[in-house]
Short mmCIF file of all heavy atoms in Angstrom, two decimals:
data_model
loop_
_atom_site.label_atom_id
_atom_site.label_comp_id
_atom_site.label_asym_id
_atom_site.label_seq_id
_atom_site.Cartn_x
_atom_site.Cartn_y
_atom_site.Cartn_z
N ARG A 30 0.83 -1.20 0.00
CA ARG A 30 0.00 0.00 0.00
C ARG A 30 0.87 1.26 0.00
O ARG A 30 0.52 2.25 -0.59
CB ARG A 30 -0.92 -0.03 1.22
CG ARG A 30 -1.86 1.11 1.29
CD ARG A 30 -3.15 0.81 0.57
NE ARG A 30 -4.06 1.92 0.74
CZ ARG A 30 -4.76 2.42 -0.24
NH1 ARG A 30 -4.69 1.90 -1.42
NH2 ARG A 30 -5.56 3.42 -0.03
N SER A 31 2.00 1.22 0.68
CA SER A 31 2.84 2.41 0.72
C SER A 31 3.48 2.71 -0.63
O SER A 31 3.93 3.83 -0.85
CB SER A 31 3.91 2.28 1.80
OG SER A 31 4.83 1.25 1.47
N GLN A 32 3.48 1.74 -1.54
CA GLN A 32 4.03 2.00 -2.86
C GLN A 32 3.22 3.05 -3.60
O GLN A 32 3.77 3.86 -4.35
CB GLN A 32 4.08 0.71 -3.68
CG GLN A 32 5.08 -0.28 -3.15
CD GLN A 32 5.01 -1.59 -3.91
OE1 GLN A 32 4.13 -1.80 -4.75
NE2 GLN A 32 5.93 -2.49 -3.60
N ALA A 33 1.92 3.07 -3.37
CA ALA A 33 1.06 4.05 -4.03
C ALA A 33 1.39 5.47 -3.58
O ALA A 33 1.48 6.39 -4.40
CB ALA A 33 -0.41 3.74 -3.75
N ILE A 34 1.60 5.65 -2.30
CA ILE A 34 1.91 6.98 -1.80
C ILE A 34 3.35 7.36 -2.14
O ILE A 34 3.65 8.51 -2.44
CB ILE A 34 1.62 7.12 -0.29
CG1 ILE A 34 1.52 8.60 0.09
CG2 ILE A 34 2.63 6.40 0.56
CD1 ILE A 34 0.92 8.85 1.45
N GLU A 35 4.25 6.38 -2.14
CA GLU A 35 5.64 6.66 -2.50
C GLU A 35 5.76 7.07 -3.96
O GLU A 35 6.62 7.86 -4.32
CB GLU A 35 6.53 5.45 -2.20
CG GLU A 35 6.70 5.17 -0.72
CD GLU A 35 7.36 6.30 0.05
OE1 GLU A 35 8.17 7.05 -0.52
OE2 GLU A 35 7.04 6.43 1.24
N ALA A 36 4.88 6.56 -4.80
CA ALA A 36 4.88 6.94 -6.22
C ALA A 36 4.52 8.41 -6.39
O ALA A 36 4.89 9.03 -7.40
CB ALA A 36 3.92 6.06 -7.00
N GLN A 37 3.82 8.98 -5.42
CA GLN A 37 3.42 10.39 -5.47
C GLN A 37 4.28 11.27 -4.57
O GLN A 37 3.91 12.40 -4.26
CB GLN A 37 1.95 10.52 -5.05
CG GLN A 37 1.01 9.78 -5.96
CD GLN A 37 1.13 10.24 -7.40
OE1 GLN A 37 1.22 11.43 -7.68
NE2 GLN A 37 1.15 9.30 -8.32
N ALA A 38 5.42 10.78 -4.15
CA ALA A 38 6.29 11.50 -3.21
C ALA A 38 6.65 12.89 -3.74
O ALA A 38 6.61 13.88 -3.00
CB ALA A 38 7.55 10.70 -2.92
N GLY A 39 7.01 12.98 -4.99
CA GLY A 39 7.37 14.28 -5.56
C GLY A 39 6.24 15.28 -5.49
O GLY A 39 6.44 16.44 -5.14
N ARG A 40 5.04 14.83 -5.80
CA ARG A 40 3.86 15.70 -5.78
C ARG A 40 3.57 16.15 -4.35
O ARG A 40 3.28 17.31 -4.09
CB ARG A 40 2.65 14.98 -6.35
CG ARG A 40 1.40 15.82 -6.36
CD ARG A 40 0.20 15.03 -6.84
NE ARG A 40 0.36 14.48 -8.17
CZ ARG A 40 -0.03 15.10 -9.29
NH1 ARG A 40 -0.59 16.27 -9.22
NH2 ARG A 40 0.16 14.53 -10.46
N ILE A 41 3.64 15.21 -3.40
CA ILE A 41 3.35 15.53 -2.00
C ILE A 41 4.37 16.53 -1.46
O ILE A 41 4.01 17.52 -0.82
CB ILE A 41 3.33 14.25 -1.15
CG1 ILE A 41 2.17 13.35 -1.59
CG2 ILE A 41 3.23 14.58 0.33
CD1 ILE A 41 2.23 11.95 -1.02
N LEU A 42 5.63 16.29 -1.73
CA LEU A 42 6.68 17.20 -1.24
C LEU A 42 6.58 18.57 -1.91
O LEU A 42 6.85 19.59 -1.28
CB LEU A 42 8.05 16.56 -1.43
CG LEU A 42 8.28 15.29 -0.60
CD1 LEU A 42 9.59 14.63 -0.98
CD2 LEU A 42 8.23 15.59 0.89
N ALA A 43 6.17 18.59 -3.18
CA ALA A 43 5.99 19.87 -3.87
C ALA A 43 4.83 20.66 -3.26
O ALA A 43 4.91 21.88 -3.10
CB ALA A 43 5.75 19.64 -5.36
N LEU A 44 3.74 19.95 -2.91
CA LEU A 44 2.62 20.62 -2.25
C LEU A 44 3.05 21.21 -0.91
O LEU A 44 2.66 22.32 -0.55
CB LEU A 44 1.47 19.64 -2.03
CG LEU A 44 0.64 19.27 -3.25
CD1 LEU A 44 -0.28 18.10 -2.94
CD2 LEU A 44 -0.16 20.47 -3.73
N MET A 45 3.86 20.48 -0.17
CA MET A 45 4.34 20.98 1.13
C MET A 45 5.29 22.16 0.94
O MET A 45 5.28 23.09 1.74
CB MET A 45 5.06 19.88 1.91
CG MET A 45 4.12 18.98 2.65
SD MET A 45 2.99 19.85 3.74
CE MET A 45 4.11 20.60 4.88
N ALA A 46 6.09 22.13 -0.10
CA ALA A 46 7.01 23.24 -0.35
C ALA A 46 6.23 24.50 -0.73
O ALA A 46 6.60 25.61 -0.34
CB ALA A 46 8.00 22.87 -1.45
N ALA A 47 5.16 24.33 -1.48
CA ALA A 47 4.35 25.47 -1.92
C ALA A 47 3.57 26.07 -0.76
O ALA A 47 3.40 27.28 -0.69
CB ALA A 47 3.40 25.04 -3.03
N ARG A 48 3.08 25.22 0.14
CA ARG A 48 2.29 25.69 1.29
C ARG A 48 2.75 24.95 2.54
O ARG A 48 2.13 23.98 2.96
CB ARG A 48 0.80 25.43 1.05
CG ARG A 48 0.27 26.27 -0.09
CD ARG A 48 -1.22 26.29 -0.14
NE ARG A 48 -1.76 26.75 1.12
CZ ARG A 48 -2.99 26.51 1.52
NH1 ARG A 48 -3.80 25.82 0.77
NH2 ARG A 48 -3.43 26.96 2.68
N PRO A 49 3.84 25.39 3.15
CA PRO A 49 4.39 24.66 4.30
C PRO A 49 3.50 24.67 5.53
O PRO A 49 3.71 23.87 6.44
CB PRO A 49 5.72 25.37 4.57
CG PRO A 49 5.65 26.66 3.86
CD PRO A 49 4.66 26.53 2.76
N ASP A 50 2.50 25.52 5.57
CA ASP A 50 1.62 25.56 6.74
C ASP A 50 0.35 24.72 6.55
O ASP A 50 -0.57 24.78 7.34
CB ASP A 50 1.23 27.00 7.06
CG ASP A 50 0.49 27.69 5.93
OD1 ASP A 50 0.62 27.23 4.78
OD2 ASP A 50 -0.21 28.67 6.19
N SER A 51 0.32 23.89 5.51
CA SER A 51 -0.84 23.03 5.24
C SER A 51 -0.98 21.96 6.31
O SER A 51 0.00 21.45 6.84
CB SER A 51 -0.70 22.34 3.89
OG SER A 51 -0.71 23.27 2.86
N THR A 52 -2.21 21.59 6.58
CA THR A 52 -2.48 20.46 7.47
C THR A 52 -2.52 19.18 6.63
O THR A 52 -2.60 19.23 5.40
CB THR A 52 -3.81 20.65 8.20
OG1 THR A 52 -4.86 20.66 7.23
CG2 THR A 52 -3.83 21.92 9.02
N LEU A 53 -2.51 18.04 7.31
CA LEU A 53 -2.60 16.77 6.60
C LEU A 53 -3.93 16.65 5.86
O LEU A 53 -3.98 16.13 4.75
CB LEU A 53 -2.43 15.60 7.58
CG LEU A 53 -1.03 15.44 8.16
CD1 LEU A 53 -1.04 14.34 9.21
CD2 LEU A 53 -0.01 15.16 7.09
N GLU A 54 -4.97 17.16 6.46
CA GLU A 54 -6.30 17.12 5.82
C GLU A 54 -6.30 17.97 4.54
O GLU A 54 -6.88 17.57 3.52
CB GLU A 54 -7.38 17.60 6.78
CG GLU A 54 -8.78 17.53 6.24
CD GLU A 54 -9.23 16.13 5.89
OE1 GLU A 54 -8.84 15.18 6.59
OE2 GLU A 54 -9.97 15.98 4.89
N GLU A 55 -5.66 19.13 4.57
CA GLU A 55 -5.58 19.97 3.37
C GLU A 55 -4.76 19.29 2.28
O GLU A 55 -5.12 19.36 1.10
CB GLU A 55 -4.97 21.32 3.72
CG GLU A 55 -5.87 22.19 4.57
CD GLU A 55 -5.19 23.43 5.12
OE1 GLU A 55 -3.94 23.47 5.18
OE2 GLU A 55 -5.92 24.36 5.48
N LEU A 56 -3.69 18.60 2.67
CA LEU A 56 -2.90 17.86 1.68
C LEU A 56 -3.73 16.73 1.08
O LEU A 56 -3.69 16.49 -0.13
CB LEU A 56 -1.65 17.28 2.33
CG LEU A 56 -0.52 18.25 2.60
CD1 LEU A 56 0.57 17.56 3.41
CD2 LEU A 56 0.04 18.78 1.31
N ARG A 57 -4.47 16.02 1.93
CA ARG A 57 -5.30 14.93 1.46
C ARG A 57 -6.33 15.43 0.45
O ARG A 57 -6.54 14.83 -0.60
CB ARG A 57 -6.01 14.26 2.64
CG ARG A 57 -6.75 12.99 2.26
CD ARG A 57 -7.50 12.44 3.45
NE ARG A 57 -8.69 13.22 3.74
CZ ARG A 57 -9.82 13.12 3.07
NH1 ARG A 57 -9.93 12.30 2.06
NH2 ARG A 57 -10.86 13.86 3.40
N THR A 58 -6.93 16.58 0.74
CA THR A 58 -7.92 17.16 -0.17
C THR A 58 -7.27 17.57 -1.49
O THR A 58 -7.84 17.32 -2.57
CB THR A 58 -8.58 18.39 0.50
OG1 THR A 58 -9.18 17.96 1.72
CG2 THR A 58 -9.63 19.00 -0.40
N ALA A 59 -6.10 18.17 -1.43
CA ALA A 59 -5.40 18.58 -2.66
C ALA A 59 -5.03 17.36 -3.50
O ALA A 59 -5.16 17.39 -4.73
CB ALA A 59 -4.15 19.37 -2.31
N LEU A 60 -4.61 16.30 -2.87
CA LEU A 60 -4.25 15.09 -3.61
C LEU A 60 -5.49 14.40 -4.19
O LEU A 60 -5.43 13.88 -5.30
CB LEU A 60 -3.49 14.12 -2.70
CG LEU A 60 -2.07 14.55 -2.35
CD1 LEU A 60 -1.54 13.71 -1.20
CD2 LEU A 60 -1.17 14.46 -3.55
N SER A 61 -6.59 14.42 -3.46
CA SER A 61 -7.80 13.78 -3.98
C SER A 61 -8.34 14.55 -5.18
O SER A 61 -8.95 13.96 -6.07
CB SER A 61 -8.86 13.63 -2.90
OG SER A 61 -9.35 14.88 -2.51
N GLY A 62 -8.10 15.86 -5.21
CA GLY A 62 -8.50 16.65 -6.36
C GLY A 62 -7.74 16.26 -7.62
O GLY A 62 -8.23 16.43 -8.73
N ALA A 63 -6.54 15.70 -7.43
CA ALA A 63 -5.74 15.24 -8.56
C ALA A 63 -5.95 13.75 -8.83
O ALA A 63 -5.24 13.15 -9.64
CB ALA A 63 -4.26 15.51 -8.28
N GLY A 64 -6.92 13.14 -8.11
CA GLY A 64 -7.24 11.74 -8.36
C GLY A 64 -6.50 10.74 -7.48
O GLY A 64 -6.58 9.55 -7.71
N HIS A 65 -5.79 11.20 -6.48
CA HIS A 65 -5.05 10.32 -5.58
C HIS A 65 -5.71 10.34 -4.21
O HIS A 65 -5.82 11.40 -3.60
CB HIS A 65 -3.60 10.77 -5.46
CG HIS A 65 -2.92 10.90 -6.78
ND1 HIS A 65 -2.58 9.83 -7.56
CD2 HIS A 65 -2.54 12.00 -7.47
CE1 HIS A 65 -2.01 10.25 -8.67
NE2 HIS A 65 -1.99 11.57 -8.65
N ARG A 66 -6.14 9.18 -3.73
CA ARG A 66 -6.86 9.11 -2.46
C ARG A 66 -5.99 8.43 -1.42
O ARG A 66 -5.67 7.25 -1.55
CB ARG A 66 -8.17 8.37 -2.64
CG ARG A 66 -9.05 9.09 -3.66
CD ARG A 66 -10.40 8.48 -3.74
NE ARG A 66 -11.11 8.90 -2.53
CZ ARG A 66 -12.22 8.34 -2.11
NH1 ARG A 66 -12.74 7.33 -2.76
NH2 ARG A 66 -12.81 8.76 -1.02
N PHE A 67 -5.59 9.19 -0.41
CA PHE A 67 -4.80 8.67 0.70
C PHE A 67 -5.46 9.11 1.99
O PHE A 67 -6.07 10.18 2.06
CB PHE A 67 -3.37 9.21 0.66
CG PHE A 67 -2.62 8.89 -0.60
CD1 PHE A 67 -2.27 9.89 -1.48
CD2 PHE A 67 -2.29 7.58 -0.90
CE1 PHE A 67 -1.59 9.60 -2.65
CE2 PHE A 67 -1.61 7.28 -2.07
CZ PHE A 67 -1.26 8.28 -2.94
N SER A 68 -5.31 8.30 3.02
CA SER A 68 -5.86 8.68 4.32
C SER A 68 -4.89 9.64 5.02
O SER A 68 -3.72 9.74 4.65
CB SER A 68 -6.06 7.44 5.19
OG SER A 68 -4.82 6.85 5.50
N VAL A 69 -5.40 10.32 6.02
CA VAL A 69 -4.56 11.22 6.80
C VAL A 69 -3.46 10.43 7.50
O VAL A 69 -2.31 10.87 7.56
CB VAL A 69 -5.41 12.01 7.83
CG1 VAL A 69 -4.54 12.79 8.79
CG2 VAL A 69 -6.36 12.94 7.10
N SER A 70 -3.78 9.23 7.97
CA SER A 70 -2.77 8.41 8.65
C SER A 70 -1.69 7.94 7.67
O SER A 70 -0.51 7.86 8.03
CB SER A 70 -3.40 7.22 9.36
OG SER A 70 -4.08 6.40 8.45
N ALA A 71 -2.05 7.67 6.43
CA ALA A 71 -1.04 7.29 5.43
C ALA A 71 -0.10 8.47 5.16
O ALA A 71 1.11 8.28 5.02
CB ALA A 71 -1.71 6.84 4.14
N LEU A 72 -0.66 9.66 5.08
CA LEU A 72 0.18 10.85 4.89
C LEU A 72 1.07 11.07 6.10
O LEU A 72 2.25 11.42 5.96
CB LEU A 72 -0.69 12.08 4.63
CG LEU A 72 -1.34 12.14 3.26
CD1 LEU A 72 -2.40 13.23 3.22
CD2 LEU A 72 -0.30 12.36 2.19
N SER A 73 0.53 10.83 7.28
CA SER A 73 1.31 10.98 8.50
C SER A 73 2.50 10.01 8.50
O SER A 73 3.63 10.40 8.82
CB SER A 73 0.43 10.73 9.72
OG SER A 73 1.19 10.82 10.89
N ARG A 74 2.27 8.76 8.13
CA ARG A 74 3.36 7.78 8.06
C ARG A 74 4.37 8.15 6.99
O ARG A 74 5.58 7.96 7.16
CB ARG A 74 2.79 6.38 7.81
CG ARG A 74 2.04 5.82 9.00
CD ARG A 74 1.67 4.36 8.79
NE ARG A 74 0.84 4.13 7.62
CZ ARG A 74 -0.48 4.17 7.61
NH1 ARG A 74 -1.15 4.44 8.71
NH2 ARG A 74 -1.14 3.92 6.49
N PHE A 75 3.90 8.70 5.86
CA PHE A 75 4.78 9.15 4.78
C PHE A 75 5.77 10.19 5.31
O PHE A 75 6.97 10.09 5.07
CB PHE A 75 3.93 9.74 3.65
CG PHE A 75 4.72 10.43 2.57
CD1 PHE A 75 5.25 9.70 1.53
CD2 PHE A 75 4.91 11.80 2.59
CE1 PHE A 75 5.98 10.33 0.52
CE2 PHE A 75 5.62 12.44 1.59
CZ PHE A 75 6.17 11.69 0.55
N PHE A 76 5.27 11.18 6.04
CA PHE A 76 6.13 12.22 6.59
C PHE A 76 7.01 11.68 7.72
O PHE A 76 8.16 12.09 7.85
CB PHE A 76 5.32 13.42 7.05
CG PHE A 76 4.78 14.22 5.90
CD1 PHE A 76 3.42 14.28 5.67
CD2 PHE A 76 5.62 14.91 5.04
CE1 PHE A 76 2.91 15.00 4.60
CE2 PHE A 76 5.13 15.63 3.97
CZ PHE A 76 3.77 15.67 3.74
N LYS A 77 6.51 10.75 8.49
CA LYS A 77 7.30 10.17 9.58
C LYS A 77 8.49 9.40 9.01
O LYS A 77 9.59 9.47 9.56
CB LYS A 77 6.42 9.26 10.43
CG LYS A 77 7.11 8.77 11.66
CD LYS A 77 6.17 8.03 12.57
CE LYS A 77 6.90 7.66 13.85
NZ LYS A 77 6.00 7.05 14.81
N ARG A 78 8.29 8.68 7.91
CA ARG A 78 9.40 7.96 7.27
C ARG A 78 10.50 8.91 6.83
O ARG A 78 11.67 8.53 6.77
CB ARG A 78 8.89 7.17 6.06
CG ARG A 78 8.16 5.90 6.40
CD ARG A 78 7.95 5.02 5.17
NE ARG A 78 7.08 5.61 4.17
CZ ARG A 78 5.76 5.49 4.14
NH1 ARG A 78 5.13 4.83 5.09
NH2 ARG A 78 5.05 6.03 3.17
N ARG A 79 10.13 10.12 6.51
CA ARG A 79 11.12 11.12 6.06
C ARG A 79 11.57 12.05 7.18
O ARG A 79 12.31 12.99 6.93
CB ARG A 79 10.51 11.93 4.92
CG ARG A 79 10.44 11.15 3.65
CD ARG A 79 9.56 11.79 2.63
NE ARG A 79 9.64 11.09 1.36
CZ ARG A 79 9.15 9.88 1.14
NH1 ARG A 79 8.54 9.24 2.09
NH2 ARG A 79 9.28 9.30 -0.04
N ALA A 80 11.11 11.82 8.38
CA ALA A 80 11.44 12.65 9.56
C ALA A 80 11.06 14.11 9.33
O ALA A 80 11.77 15.02 9.74
CB ALA A 80 12.91 12.52 9.91
N ILE A 81 9.91 14.33 8.68
CA ILE A 81 9.38 15.67 8.46
C ILE A 81 8.25 15.89 9.45
O ILE A 81 7.30 15.12 9.48
CB ILE A 81 8.86 15.84 7.02
CG1 ILE A 81 10.00 15.63 6.02
CG2 ILE A 81 8.21 17.20 6.84
CD1 ILE A 81 9.55 15.59 4.58
N THR A 82 8.37 16.92 10.27
CA THR A 82 7.31 17.20 11.24
C THR A 82 6.43 18.33 10.73
O THR A 82 6.89 19.24 10.05
CB THR A 82 7.90 17.60 12.60
OG1 THR A 82 8.71 18.76 12.43
CG2 THR A 82 8.75 16.47 13.17
N LEU A 83 5.16 18.25 11.05
CA LEU A 83 4.19 19.24 10.60
C LEU A 83 3.51 19.89 11.79
O LEU A 83 2.35 20.25 11.73
CB LEU A 83 3.13 18.58 9.71
CG LEU A 83 3.65 17.89 8.46
CD1 LEU A 83 2.52 17.14 7.77
CD2 LEU A 83 4.25 18.92 7.53
N LYS A 84 4.22 20.02 12.88
CA LYS A 84 3.61 20.56 14.09
C LYS A 84 3.33 22.04 13.93
O LYS A 84 4.14 22.79 13.39
CB LYS A 84 4.52 20.34 15.29
CG LYS A 84 4.66 18.89 15.63
CD LYS A 84 5.48 18.71 16.86
CE LYS A 84 5.58 17.24 17.19
NZ LYS A 84 6.39 17.00 18.34
N LYS A 85 2.20 22.42 14.41
CA LYS A 85 1.80 23.83 14.39
C LYS A 85 2.02 24.39 15.78
O LYS A 85 1.75 23.74 16.78
CB LYS A 85 0.33 23.98 14.02
CG LYS A 85 -0.06 23.27 12.77
CD LYS A 85 0.45 24.00 11.56
CE LYS A 85 -0.10 23.32 10.32
NZ LYS A 85 0.74 23.36 9.22
N ARG A 86 2.48 25.59 15.87
CA ARG A 86 2.65 26.25 17.16
C ARG A 86 1.82 27.50 17.19
O ARG A 86 1.81 28.28 16.24
CB ARG A 86 4.12 26.63 17.39
CG ARG A 86 4.99 25.43 17.59
CD ARG A 86 6.32 25.87 18.06
NE ARG A 86 7.14 24.68 18.23
CZ ARG A 86 8.35 24.70 18.67
NH1 ARG A 86 8.91 25.84 18.97
NH2 ARG A 86 9.02 23.59 18.81
N ARG A 87 1.14 27.69 18.27
CA ARG A 87 0.40 28.92 18.44
C ARG A 87 1.37 30.05 18.71
O ARG A 87 2.39 29.86 19.37
CB ARG A 87 -0.54 28.82 19.62
CG ARG A 87 -1.71 27.95 19.40
CD ARG A 87 -2.61 28.03 20.59
NE ARG A 87 -3.82 27.29 20.34
CZ ARG A 87 -4.69 27.00 21.27
NH1 ARG A 87 -4.48 27.38 22.51
NH2 ARG A 87 -5.76 26.33 20.98
N ARG A 88 1.04 31.20 18.22
CA ARG A 88 1.86 32.37 18.53
C ARG A 88 1.57 32.79 19.95
O ARG A 88 0.43 32.90 20.36
CB ARG A 88 1.56 33.51 17.57
CG ARG A 88 2.03 33.21 16.18
CD ARG A 88 1.88 34.46 15.34
NE ARG A 88 2.27 34.18 14.00
CZ ARG A 88 3.47 34.48 13.50
NH1 ARG A 88 4.36 35.08 14.25
NH2 ARG A 88 3.76 34.21 12.26
N MET A 89 2.62 33.01 20.69
CA MET A 89 2.47 33.43 22.08
C MET A 89 2.49 34.95 22.11
O MET A 89 3.28 35.59 21.43
CB MET A 89 3.61 32.87 22.93
CG MET A 89 3.68 31.36 22.92
SD MET A 89 2.27 30.59 23.68
CE MET A 89 2.62 30.90 25.37
N ARG A 90 1.60 35.52 22.90
CA ARG A 90 1.65 36.96 23.01
C ARG A 90 2.83 37.35 23.90
O ARG A 90 3.21 36.59 24.80
CB ARG A 90 0.34 37.53 23.51
CG ARG A 90 -0.09 37.06 24.81
CD ARG A 90 -1.47 37.63 25.14
NE ARG A 90 -1.75 37.18 26.48
CZ ARG A 90 -1.89 38.01 27.51
NH1 ARG A 90 -1.89 39.30 27.34
NH2 ARG A 90 -2.09 37.52 28.70
N PRO A 91 3.43 38.50 23.66
CA PRO A 91 4.60 38.89 24.42
C PRO A 91 4.26 39.09 25.91
O PRO A 91 3.15 39.46 26.26
CB PRO A 91 5.02 40.24 23.81
CG PRO A 91 4.09 40.51 22.72
CD PRO A 91 3.04 39.46 22.66
N ASN A 92 5.24 38.78 26.70
CA ASN A 92 5.09 38.97 28.14
C ASN A 92 4.97 40.47 28.43
O ASN A 92 5.73 41.27 27.92
CB ASN A 92 6.31 38.38 28.85
CG ASN A 92 6.13 38.32 30.34
OD1 ASN A 92 5.17 38.86 30.88
ND2 ASN A 92 7.07 37.66 31.00
N GLY A 93 4.02 40.84 29.23
CA GLY A 93 3.76 42.25 29.49
C GLY A 93 4.68 42.87 30.52
O GLY A 93 4.68 44.08 30.72
N THR A 94 5.49 42.08 31.17
CA THR A 94 6.37 42.64 32.19
C THR A 94 7.82 42.46 31.80
O THR A 94 8.18 41.50 31.13
CB THR A 94 6.14 41.97 33.56
OG1 THR A 94 6.40 40.56 33.40
CG2 THR A 94 4.70 42.17 34.03
N ASP A 95 8.64 43.38 32.21
CA ASP A 95 10.08 43.29 31.96
C ASP A 95 10.76 42.76 33.20
O ASP A 95 10.22 42.83 34.31
CB ASP A 95 10.65 44.67 31.63
CG ASP A 95 10.18 45.17 30.29
OD1 ASP A 95 9.95 44.33 29.40
OD2 ASP A 95 10.07 46.38 30.14
N ARG A 96 11.95 42.28 33.02
CA ARG A 96 12.73 41.84 34.19
C ARG A 96 13.09 43.03 35.03
O ARG A 96 13.41 44.08 34.53
CB ARG A 96 13.99 41.12 33.72
CG ARG A 96 13.66 39.81 33.02
CD ARG A 96 14.87 39.12 32.59
NE ARG A 96 15.44 38.45 33.76
CZ ARG A 96 16.50 37.67 33.73
NH1 ARG A 96 17.10 37.46 32.59
NH2 ARG A 96 16.95 37.08 34.82
N MET A 97 13.05 42.83 36.32
CA MET A 97 13.31 43.92 37.24
C MET A 97 14.80 44.07 37.58
O MET A 97 15.24 45.14 37.92
CB MET A 97 12.52 43.73 38.54
CG MET A 97 11.00 43.73 38.27
SD MET A 97 10.44 45.17 37.39
CE MET A 97 10.29 46.33 38.71
N SER A 98 15.56 43.00 37.51
CA SER A 98 16.99 43.15 37.86
C SER A 98 17.87 42.34 36.97
O SER A 98 17.59 41.66 36.14
CB SER A 98 17.23 42.74 39.30
OG SER A 98 16.74 41.48 39.60
#
C-alpha cells in the first residue's frame, strides 16, 4: 500500500514546499482533487518515514512585564 503513496512523493513534497503551513487534511484534499486518495494516517506515516514534522505552534503573546533586575 505504501508504494502508491511513495509513487506520489514528488507531488506531495511539492505541495508541502508550496504551502508549508498546510495540514494533513488539506494535503489529502489537494491530492484527492488530482485523483489520488490517501488517508490522513497514510500521509502521517509518509512524513514520519522522512522525519518531516508538521507541528503547528500557536503564537504566544509577548510577556507584558520586563525583568526587574
Side-chain angles (χ1 to χ4, degrees):
R30 183 89 176 135
S31 66
Q32 292 175 354
I34 198 166
E35 292 298 331
Q37 299 302 317
R40 180 185 301 267
I41 295 168
L42 295 173
L44 285 169
M45 277 307 297
R48 294 194 56 200
D50 61 338
S51 295
T52 63
L53 291 175
E54 183 62 35
E55 290 170 340
L56 284 173
R57 188 184 75 79
T58 302
L60 289 167
S61 67
H65 306 289
R66 300 187 74 195
F67 301 113
S68 66
V69 171
S70 60
L72 287 168
S73 178
R74 290 189 301 272
F75 171 84
F76 287 113
K77 188 172 185 175
R78 283 192 295 272
R79 286 166 173 70
I81 299 172
T82 59
L83 301 173
K84 293 184 179 178
K85 308 285 186 213
R86 291 191 181 182
R87 288 185 174 168
R88 291 188 182 261
M89 301 295 285
R90 59 184 184 116
N92 190 351
T94 59
D95 291 329
R96 293 181 79 176
M97 299 306 278
S98 53

